[in-house]
Amino acid sequence: MTNPAPAERSRPSWAGRNYTLLTAAAIATNLGSHGALIAAAFAVLDAGGDGGDVGLVAAARTLPLVLFLLIGGAVADRLPRHHVMVAANALNCASQAAFAALVLAGEPQLWQMMLLTGLGGVGQAFFGPAAEGMLMSSVSGEQAGKAFAMYRMAMQGAGLGGAALGGLMVAAIGPGWVLAVDAAAFAVAGALRSFLDVSHIPERTPGGGLVADLRDGWREFTGRPWLWSIVAQFSVVVAVVGAAESVFGPLVARDELGGAGPWGLALGAFGAGTVGGAFLMTRWKPRRLLFAGTLCVFPLAAPSAALAVPLPVSGLVAVMFVSGVAIEVFGVSWMTAMHQEIPEEKLSRVAAYDWFGSVAMVPLATALAGPAESAFGRSASLWGCAALVVVVTAAVLFVPDVRNLTRRTTEVVASAKPVSRGAADPSADGEGAVGRLG
């Protein structure tokens, strides 16, 4: 018998080659992207823009993401997913490199920043569903939940470092160089993802065309109340949290907290919380996946409230840390539910509807953040963001499947008519049994 290679002996059985490559690539992109989010906002402010301009640039990224997501999901279930991912990374690399050059050259125009940011959104629309489907197909069996938690812990840890370092770099050398680093990170990630192996994934029958694939994904999506109700919830949550963090956060940091450095520290604390939450989920396996996860969405209202006060930097850092822990509990629970309930050949299409619903309202929210500040004041707008998170999260708990969907040991391997998955589901198992974002 041939002895396993040293690299194979040093990693757990569930961490195969694809999983390792996907994790390494996610670390690279998160190191760059979290700093780039701060850099983009301060590039607009440094060019003489205001809160409304920051919102327009943020919306320019999200609008094409919304427009192309469903197509991206259907394409990812038709073509080799790693090819779609690499092409998307190449587009993101080129757009961020051009954005960096524009900022470093001096006096970038608002329309130019919006255009380049929009190209990045197009890339993300094709990348996201392909990446989610690829990750879920790279793990199986009882350790899937742990694998997702470890992946998210590595990804969020990189985000932590990227946000903290990005804020410091923006303050020290300016946003242009941070955007250049992000472009390089996309290049590295694309190279890693080009080595992914898709030979284990059964060849997919194209079916009746792109529109038929979209209809099929829609049936899977709407036939599961837990799925569409939580996506509807997050269409509001992601929008208001995104407006608070991408528009109001930098403004509060500039006017009240001392600039980019403290805001980067606060975002870094959120990243630290997500790492802690992911570590928690490597050990905790809640039986009622979505009930536990949804309860942990309520703390996402706290950062908006903290900015509305505003709390001093130390208080904001603490709030961001707690919300990071909480949302990661939801994230791992959501991925595990998707993995055990959605057929593999439809993962990218269903993920596209998930992403679409979650980000559909972000362009509107970010574009309206500036006008809302002018009409109601910054503090009142932030309190409104916090209230909306609480209201929609409470509402989704009235859906029986959200309260009762349980962790299972068996996975869905073929399409079937959705059934009610309550506590009495005969396939449900105990706390130790294990069969997703963001």
Side-chain angles (χ1 to χ4, degrees), residues 77 85 92 95-96 105 118 132 137 161 184 219 230 244 297 312 322 403 422:
D77 275 341
M85 295 165 71
N92 285 128
S95 63
Q96 286 295 75
E132 191 160 325
S137 69
R219 284 192 294 269
I230 287 182
V297 179
V322 172
R403 298 194 307 271

Side-chain angles (χ1 to χ4, degrees), residues 405-424:
L405 189 144
T406 51
R407 186 183 301 271
R408 303 192 299 173
T409 56
T410 56
E411 301 169 15
V412 174
V413 295
S415 298
K417 293 182 179 180
V419 297
S420 177
R421 297 175 176 84

Side-chain angles (χ1 to χ4, degrees), residues 45-436:
L45 296 175
D46 289 349
D50 57 14
D53 294 330
V54 173
L56 286 173
V57 172
R61 177 178 180 82
T62 313
L63 182 58
L65 174 61
V66 171
L67 292 176
F68 288 98
L69 257 175
L70 298 182
I71 297 174
V75 168
D77 275 341
R78 280 174 163 261
L79 302 178
R81 289 175 179 144
H82 65 315
H83 290 172
V84 179
M85 295 165 71
V86 171
N89 283 166
L91 178 58
N92 285 128
C93 175
S95 63
Q96 286 295 75
F99 196 174
L102 189 68
V103 173
L104 291 171
E107 298 186 6
Q109 300 298 307
L110 179 62
W111 70 267
Q112 295 171 321
M113 292 186 284
M114 291 176 65
L115 175 62
L116 293 171
T117 303
L119 288 175
V122 173
Q124 188 63 29
F126 285 87
F127 173 82
E132 191 160 325
M134 193 73 204
L135 175 63
M136 291 189 185
S137 69
S138 72
V139 299
S140 61
E142 295 186 357
Q143 296 301 319
K146 185 173 184 178
F148 295 143
M150 293 295 293
Y151 171 85
R152 291 178 68 95
M153 185 163 63
M155 182 179 68
Q156 303 294 10
L160 163 64
L165 184 61
L168 294 173
M169 289 178 65
V170 168
I173 60 177
W177 290 109
V178 180
L179 293 167
V181 169
D182 189 34
F186 275 117
V188 171
L192 289 171
R193 287 162 176 148
S194 68
F195 291 104
L196 290 168
D197 180 13
V198 296
S199 61
H200 67 288
I201 301 176
E203 186 174 348
R204 294 169 177 80
T205 303
L210 189 65
V211 174
D213 284 352
L214 290 172
R215 284 199 302 265
D216 197 22
W218 177 250
R219 284 192 294 269
E220 287 286 336
F221 176 75
T222 58
R224 304 172 190 272
W226 61 268
L227 180 58
W228 62 256
S229 62
I230 287 182
V231 171
Q233 169 204 11
F234 268 77
S235 69
V236 177
V237 172
V238 173
V240 298
V241 171
E245 292 192 358
S246 65
V247 180
F248 295 125
L251 293 173
V252 173
R254 183 192 64 182
D255 297 341
E256 307 286 347
L257 304 178
W263 182 234
L265 181 63
L267 293 177
F270 179 84
T274 61
V275 173
F279 178 76
L280 171 65
M281 293 304 286
T282 65
R283 298 172 177 271
W284 181 41
K285 300 173 182 178
R287 182 169 180 268
R288 290 196 289 171
L289 287 166
L290 297 180
F291 180 69
T294 300
L295 290 179
C296 289
V297 179
F298 284 106
L300 284 188
S304 295
L307 290 169
V309 174
L311 292 182
V313 175
S314 58
L316 179 61
V317 165
V319 166
M320 294 288 278
F321 178 83
V322 172
S323 63
V325 173
I327 194 57
E328 201 61 19
V329 173
F330 171 82
V332 175
S333 298
W334 181 249
M335 291 186 74
T336 305
M338 290 273 285
H339 179 260
Q340 76 174 27
E341 299 294 327
I342 306 300
E344 193 281 333
E345 72 275 8
K346 298 180 181 180
L347 277 171
S348 290
R349 275 169 285 174
V350 173
Y353 282 105
D354 172 18
W355 276 60
F356 178 83
S358 297
V359 303
M361 292 178 63
V362 172
L364 180 63
T366 52
L368 291 178
E373 180 184 15
S374 299
F376 308 109
R378 187 182 301 167
S379 180
S381 298
L382 283 163
W383 282 117
C385 291
L388 282 169
V389 171
V390 171
V391 170
V392 298
T393 303
V396 82
L397 289 174
F398 286 95
V399 179
D401 283 359
V402 171
R403 298 194 307 271
N404 299 326
L405 189 144
T406 51
R407 186 183 301 271
R408 303 192 299 173
T409 56
T410 56
E411 301 169 15
V412 174
V413 295
S415 298
K417 293 182 179 180
V419 297
S420 177
R421 297 175 176 84
D425 185 347
S427 65
D429 211 330
E431 287 286 333
V434 181
R436 157 172 199 10

